[in-house]
Amino acid sequence: MPTITFIRPDGTQRELAVAEGTSLMQAATNQGLDGIVAECGGNAMCATCHVYVDEAWSERLPPLSDDEDALLDGAAAERLPTSRLSCQIIATAALDGLVVRLPDRQV
């Protein structure tokens, strides 16, 4: 089971064990991580699960879909080159050790 590190805006970290095949958004909300609102429940219809992927990991993820790209343009927090929707990042063994940062706001 991959371990994903979430870093809050204040710098505190929380490591979550995420079952393979589960989105980071699902894992975060199921395990009570504050900072991911997930208003649409992971249907890629909002940007309230916006995260910043650590640069060392950004090239290891599948490319953005057109829908994810468009939604990130409307995110409440600043969009950065490593911005992704956590509902679109599915945990695999290859992502063990992934680090993502939470933006200062989601809505």
Side-chain angles (χ1 to χ4, degrees), residues 19-54:
E20 289 188 50
T22 302
S23 75
L24 300 191
M25 184 236 40
Q26 288 171 316
T29 57
N30 289 344
Q31 295 184 50
L33 179 75
D34 294 334
I36 293 185
V37 177
E39 285 182 349
C40 74
N43 293 306
M45 297 178 68
C46 70
T48 61
C49 67
H50 178 206
V51 295
Y52 302 120
V53 175
D54 186 89

Side-chain angles (χ1 to χ4, degrees), residues 21-101:
T22 302
S23 75
L24 300 191
M25 184 236 40
Q26 288 171 316
T29 57
N30 289 344
Q31 295 184 50
L33 179 75
D34 294 334
I36 293 185
V37 177
E39 285 182 349
C40 74
N43 293 306
M45 297 178 68
C46 70
T48 61
C49 67
H50 178 206
V51 295
Y52 302 120
V53 175
D54 186 89
E55 288 183 17
W57 288 89
S58 62
E59 295 298 318
R60 299 184 202 186
L61 298 178
L64 289 169
S65 69
D66 290 340
D67 289 339
E68 183 178 5
D69 189 36
L71 287 167
L72 285 166
D73 283 339
E78 178 183 9
R79 181 179 181 169
L80 299 177
T82 61
S83 288
R84 295 297 300 260
L85 298 179
S86 61
C87 69
Q88 299 302 297
I89 302 173
I90 306 302
T92 65
L95 294 183
D96 185 39
L98 174 67
V99 176
V100 296
R101 289 174 173 72

